[in-house]
Amino acid sequence: MAGESNASLLNDHKEKHFTAGEIVRDIIIGVSDGLTVPFALAAGLSGANATSAVIVTAGVAEIAAGAISMGLGGYLAAKSEADHYMRELKREQDEIIAVPDTEAAEVAEILSEYGIQPHEYSPVVNALRKNPQAWLDFMMKFELGLEKPDPKRAMQSAMTIAIAYIVGGIVPLFPYMLISSADRAVIASVIVTLLALLIFGYGKGHFTGSKPFWSALQTTFIGAIASAAAFAMAKLVQG
Amino acid sequence: MAGESNASLLNDHKEKHFTAGEIVRDIIIGVSDGLTVPFALAAGLSGANATSAVIVTAGVAEIAAGAISMGLGGYLAAKSEADHYMRELKREQDEIIAVPDTEAAEVAEILSEYGIQPHEYSPVVNALRKNPQAWLDFMMKFELGLEKPDPKRAMQSAMTIAIAYIVGGIVPLFPYMLISSADRAVIASVIVTLLALLIFGYGKGHFTGSKPFWSALQTTFIGAIASAAAFAMAKLVQG
């Protein structure tokens, strides 16, 4: 009994930890692209002599499209994974009932990959055979490597990514909203976005366990490369 | 011996299966956004009375920026996961050497979550203790749920996503390259992109095991929503 409540507390703790980590991951996904692509698009267009008005129009349209594509796309992907999990769960359930010997052999195979001998793993296999729910959980995790998805996560993930993308995208764009000369606005945009990329990259490194300074540089580097490419392509098309 | 070579063949088969699945997943990621965002951006700009020339400039700049952001971003994310794996591997290795009793207790805890009793799992725990390499693999997989990343995958993933994004983005954009009147080009772009989204969505459903018709509709729906939003935002800014 104590073991069960401890395991349950541990699972709760793991789940909260897991969700917080997933929210951070979604923010990173949204802000990474949101800071980079609108910035590069705006810089590229300014290099092709577009006015601030055109740049803001294009930028705002891109942010709306990007937020929806990433958000809705992420939602459908999460839903699809949840459907996949339920289909695999049903299939394992059917197999445990219909062909238990085959399933038991699969458990044996999993454990034998770790050098465990039949006489060592058979008590485990027999214990699972007597406990179909635990057996099912074991197969889902150790044969298929699937975690039970939280139904709330799909919507949460979509909203987080979309909002993060919008917030990220506004940063490089607002100088063009305030400064009507695109040539001057681009300088402000570069400074503001560079700072944002450095700070965000540093924070990303901190949360993901990579060296924060290195992460800051990498993130800023991507922004620089993306805007250089956008600039080059825009000039190519214009000239 | 026979068991080892069978296991090795099975692993090879699983790895090839795994990689093929990852390449398909990366193509889906790239084409999903590549078809949607440039299409929506172009449609939005045409609604704000931009010329085909401006639209092509913006579109091409966005495709370049998007491909790099997603590609490089994906590459760094994969590298970061690989670094994370190596750090966790080192830590588990140290723990196995320094505090084997604690690690053995962790194995016991993992197995007991499946209702397996101490007298049933101790032969397994002891077998692992005698085989440090297998013990390490077991902890990486069953305690941490981490797969050993293939060093080639990061670059492969980045290139696949970037190229898929570019291919996806060209589709809605090329009508504007051929038709100088944006009002007429947008009609062609809508038709071409709608078809592409339906076909791609169908294929995506086929590969991911979701109902292909439903997937085709969902994918097209995202494209429609994204372009409607881009259109609305562009009109909002212009007017």
Side-chain angles (χ1 to χ4, degrees), chain A residues 108 111-112 115-126, chain B residues 123-124:
Chain A
L111 293 172
S112 65
I116 302 166
Q117 301 297 318
H119 71 273
E120 291 163 330
Y121 62 61
S122 9
V124 170
V125 177
N126 291 333
Chain B
V124 170

Side-chain angles (χ1 to χ4, degrees), chain A residues 10 33 62 69 109 142 229, chain B residues 10 33 62 68-69 109 142 229:
Chain A
L10 191 65
D33 276 348
E62 199 282 338
S69 179
E109 189 193 307
F142 296 151
Chain B
L10 192 66
D33 276 349
E62 199 282 337
I68 286 172
S69 179
E109 188 193 308
F142 296 152

Side-chain angles (χ1 to χ4, degrees), chain A residues 10 33 37 40-41 57-58 60 62 65 68-69 76 87 109 114 120 127 134 138 142 209 218 222 229 233 237-238, chain B residues 10 33 37 40-41 57-58 60 62 65 68-69 76 87 109 114 120 127 134 138 141-142 209 218 222 229 233 237-238:
Chain A
L10 191 65
D33 276 348
V37 180
L41 172 63
T57 307
V60 153
E62 199 282 338
I68 286 171
S69 179
L76 291 177
R87 278 196 305 271
E109 189 193 307
Y114 298 92
E120 291 163 330
F138 187 94
F142 296 151
Q218 279 180 344
I222 297 179
M233 291 309 294
V237 168
Q238 286 290 80
Chain B
L10 192 66
D33 276 349
V37 180
L41 172 63
T57 306
V60 154
E62 199 282 337
I68 286 172
S69 179
L76 290 176
R87 276 195 307 271
E109 188 193 308
Y114 298 92
E120 291 163 329
F138 186 95
K141 180 155 187 194
F142 296 152
Q218 281 180 345
I222 297 179
M233 292 309 294
V237 168
Q238 284 289 78

Side-chain angles (χ1 to χ4, degrees), chain B residues 13-222:
Chain B
H13 172 79
K14 277 181 185 164
E15 279 165 21
K16 286 196 190 74
H17 191 69
F18 197 53
T19 304
E22 295 214 309
I23 291 177
V24 167
R25 186 203 70 178
D26 287 339
I27 291 175
I28 288 175
I29 288 172
V31 174
S32 288
D33 276 349
L35 268 179
T36 305
V37 180
F39 166 62
L41 172 63
L45 283 175
S46 77
N49 300 319
T51 60
S52 277
V54 167
I55 291 172
V56 171
T57 306
V60 154
E62 199 282 337
I63 290 174
I68 286 172
S69 179
M70 292 189 77
L72 260 179
Y75 175 80
L76 290 176
K79 275 297 197 188
S80 166
E81 271 180 43
D83 292 343
H84 176 68
Y85 179 90
M86 293 315 286
R87 276 195 307 271
E88 293 298 308
L89 185 77
K90 177 101 188 24
R91 185 157 74 159
E92 283 300 315
Q93 220 166 8
D94 294 343
E95 285 176 355
I96 280 174
I97 293 167
V99 287
D101 289 337
T102 309
E103 288 300 296
E106 283 173 8
V107 178
E109 188 193 308
I110 291 167
L111 292 172
S112 66
E113 275 179 44
Y114 298 92
I116 302 167
Q117 302 297 316
H119 72 273
E120 291 163 329
Y121 62 60
S122 13
V124 170
V125 177
N126 291 334
L128 288 173
R129 290 191 75 148
K130 285 184 267 180
N131 189 342
Q133 184 55 51
W135 195 5
L136 182 60
D137 293 341
F138 186 95
M139 298 313 283
M140 291 306 288
K141 180 155 187 194
F142 296 152
E143 188 200 6
L144 302 175
L146 295 176
E147 296 279 348
K148 184 164 160 50
D150 179 348
K152 295 195 303 296
R153 279 297 305 148
M155 179 59 87
Q156 205 177 37
S157 187
M159 295 303 301
T160 309
I161 294 178
I163 290 169
Y165 191 89
I166 292 169
V167 168
I170 294 289
V171 168
L173 210 60
F174 83 84
Y176 298 92
M177 298 175 183
L178 303 175
I179 304 166
S180 50
S181 157
D183 290 337
R184 291 216 299 270
V186 69
I187 296 169
S189 180
V190 165
I191 293 170
V192 158
T193 309
L194 212 75
L195 273 169
L197 284 168
L198 283 166
I199 294 169
F200 168 71
Y202 188 92
K204 186 169 73 161
H206 172 76
F207 276 106
T208 58
S210 323
K211 302 189 188 66
F213 281 116
W214 185 228
S215 173
L217 286 175
Q218 281 180 345
T219 307
T220 311
F221 174 71
I222 297 179

Side-chain angles (χ1 to χ4, degrees), chain A residues 75-109:
Chain A
Y75 175 81
L76 291 177
K79 275 292 195 193
S80 165
E81 270 180 43
D83 293 343
H84 175 70
Y85 179 90
M86 293 316 285
R87 278 196 305 271
E88 293 298 311
L89 186 76
K90 176 106 190 19
R91 186 158 74 161
E92 282 302 312
Q93 218 165 9
D94 294 342
E95 285 177 357
I96 280 173
I97 293 167
V99 286
D101 290 335
T102 309
E103 287 300 298
E106 282 173 5
V107 177
E109 189 193 307

